[in-house]
Amino acid sequence: MLRRRARYGARVLVPLDRVRDGGFQRADGEELRQDVQDESSPGIQMLKAAAKSESNSCPQVFSIVRQGVDRAFSREQRLAASLLRLHFHDCFVNGCDASILLDDTSTFTGEKTAGPNLNSARGFDVIDDIKSELENQCPGIVSCADILALAARDSVTVSAGPSWDVLLGRRDSFRASQADANRFIPSPASDVPALVSAFQAVGLSASNMIVLSGAHTIGAARCGTLTPRLYNQSGTGQPDSVGDPDFLASLQRLCPPGGNPGTLSRLDVRSPQAFDNSYYQNLLQGRGVLHSDQILFSGGGSSAQAVQDLSSDENLFFGNFAASMVRLGSIAPLTFPDGEIRTNCRFTNS
C-alpha cells in the first residue's frame, strides 16, 4: 500500500492566481486564503450549523467509510480515482446531495447516463457496501452525500495524498437530473475561460479549478473520451494543436480510429497510482492527456505560472488541494429539514 501523507489544514502556503473581471491577476496571500477556502461561504456555514452531526451520533462512520475505501483500493487501485470523481460530479450538479447515486425512475432520468458519466462513472457498489454497513451500525443517521465526501477524502489519502477535515451534516436529494449533469459538469475539451466559468457557476474560483484539476494525478480516461481530441478537436477535423505532438501520436496509437472506446489511458503518465504533483510536471512537458488539462499550461498567462508553481512544490499542491476539497464539498448542501437520509443510496425512501 502507498505511504499515507500528513493532514493539511486550510492554510494556503504561497499565492496562486485568481480571476477578477474576467482575467487572471496575481493575488496576495490574504486574498488567496479567502479565494481557495472562504470560511464564510454559505455551504460551509450551513454544514457547520447543521443541528445533528453524524460524527456525534455515529462515531463509527469514519472507520466504516475508511475500511470500505481500503477494501476497494486493495481490490483495484483505480477505484480511488473513481470515488473522488463521483464526489466531484455529484457536487457540480445542484450541490453535494448524492443525486449522482440515484437510479432512473418513472419521474426522472438520473445522472448516471449523462454524457460525462455514461460508461465512466463507477464505484457505486463501493458506496452501496459502505451504506449497508452504516445502516447496520447506525440506521438512518449517515447520508449518502456524507459518504461520498468521506470516501473522496479517504481515496486521496489511501493514494498517498493529503488529508483534511470533512464537514458532515449533508442530506440526500429526492431527484437527479441528466440534463443538469450534461449542462454543469465541465467538458474535457474545455479551454481555460470555459473551465473558469463552470467552476464559478458553483461558487468555486479559478484557483480552485487549477488545484482541483490536479486530481487527475490518479485515474484514467477512456479512448472514447480522447478520440475527439486526437482526430477532431473542436470540430476542426484535425488533432489538438495543444501539447507535445509525439505524446499525442502515442495516444493515437493507443486509440486508433475505430478502436475499442473502452481502452484506458492513465491520466498521469509519470506516477499513475500515486497522488502527487507529477500531473503538473507532465503539463510542463506537453504530456497532459486531456485538452482541459494541457491548456492550463499551454494556454499561457497566470494559469501557466500556477502550473509551474504547483509542479515544483508538492506541499503547495497538497495544502491548496485540501482546502479546495473542503470548499467543493460545501457546494449547496441540503441540511435538515431539507432532503432525507436515504436507506439505499440508489433510491429515495418513498
Side-chain angles (χ1 to χ4, degrees):
M1 187 167 291
L2 297 169
R3 180 171 62 91
R4 294 176 184 173
R5 304 286 182 150
R7 182 180 302 275
Y8 283 77
R11 186 176 68 87
V12 175
L13 303 179
V14 298
L16 289 178
D17 299 276
R18 69 182 300 178
V19 165
R20 183 179 297 157
D21 299 330
F24 284 100
Q25 293 189 5
R26 199 71 179 173
D28 65 30
E30 182 57 33
E31 285 178 319
L32 187 62
R33 274 187 285 275
Q34 296 173 357
D35 186 42
V36 172
Q37 183 181 2
D38 183 357
E39 289 286 345
S40 67
S41 71
I44 290 178
Q45 293 305 309
M46 289 174 68
L47 290 175
K48 286 184 173 182
K52 190 173 185 180
S53 169
E54 288 90 326
S55 62
N56 293 329
S57 53
C58 184
Q60 307 99 307
V61 60
F62 300 107
S63 61
I64 289 173
V65 174
R66 183 54 191 252
Q67 289 164 11
V69 172
D70 284 347
R71 287 193 300 269
F73 186 79
S74 297
R75 185 170 71 248
E76 182 189 356
Q77 291 189 2
R78 182 183 161 215
L79 280 168
S82 300
L83 293 170
L84 178 58
R85 186 170 182 258
L86 276 183
H87 182 48
F88 180 93
H89 281 208
D90 178 49
C91 292
F92 257 69
V93 184
N94 301 316
C96 305
D97 59 5
S99 58
I100 194 172
L101 302 179
L102 287 173
D103 289 345
D104 294 351
T105 73
S106 60
T107 59
F108 66 78
T109 301
E111 296 158 27
K112 293 179 178 179
T113 56
N117 298 325
L118 183 64
N119 297 321
S120 63
R122 54 201 301 273
F124 298 106
D125 57 334
V126 179
I127 302 300
D128 289 341
D129 290 345
I130 292 171
K131 179 62 173 174
S132 178
E133 179 63 19
L134 284 167
E135 285 301 304
N136 287 334
Q137 298 293 324
C138 309
I141 299 298
V142 182
S143 70
C144 302
D146 275 350
I147 293 173
L148 283 175
L150 288 167
R153 189 270 309 275
D154 292 344
S155 294
V156 171
T157 59
V158 79
S159 303
S163 185
W164 58 91
D165 292 330
V166 176
L167 296 169
L168 300 179
R170 300 167 190 81
R171 287 167 66 86
D172 301 324
S173 68
F174 297 111
R175 296 184 58 84
S177 172
Q178 182 192 69
D180 285 347
N182 285 325
R183 176 184 177 188
F184 292 118
I185 296 174
S187 165
S190 297
D191 287 331
V192 172
L195 290 170
V196 170
S197 178
F199 275 69
Q200 287 185 330
V202 294
L204 299 176
S205 68
S207 297
N208 294 138
M209 180 270 290
I210 296 168
V211 171
L212 290 173
S213 295
H216 288 169
T217 187
I218 56 175
R222 300 169 69 253
C223 281
T225 299
L226 300 180
T227 297
R229 182 188 186 200
L230 300 178
Y231 302 103
N232 188 28
Q233 176 66 24
S234 301
T236 62
Q238 299 295 321
D240 194 358
S241 61
V242 171
D244 175 26
D246 291 337
F247 179 66
L248 290 176
S250 72
L251 292 177
Q252 289 175 326
R253 290 191 293 272
L254 179 69
C255 303
N260 182 357
T263 299
L264 298 175
S265 171
R266 295 292 187 180
L267 289 171
D268 180 346
V269 296
R270 286 173 175 254
S271 53
Q273 295 178 342
F275 197 98
D276 54 27
N277 68 333
S278 61
Y279 161 86
Y280 298 101
Q281 296 166 11
N282 293 331
L283 301 187
L284 298 184
Q285 298 181 341
R287 295 168 68 83
V289 173
L290 303 178
H291 175 85
S292 57
D293 291 330
Q294 188 57 52
I295 198 65
L296 297 179
F297 179 71
S298 298
S302 294
S303 64
Q305 181 60 57
V307 169
Q308 289 183 318
D309 291 344
L310 293 162
S311 73
S312 62
D313 190 340
E314 191 169 81
N315 285 336
L316 172 66
F317 170 46
F318 281 1
N320 280 277
F321 187 85
S324 294
M325 284 299 294
V326 173
R327 197 164 172 185
L328 170 71
S330 66
I331 296 174
L334 294 174
T335 57
F336 184 83
D338 297 321
E340 66 176 1
I341 305 294
R342 290 185 210 138
T343 301
N344 182 325
C345 292
R346 296 174 181 263
F347 309 100
T348 62
N349 293 339
S350 58

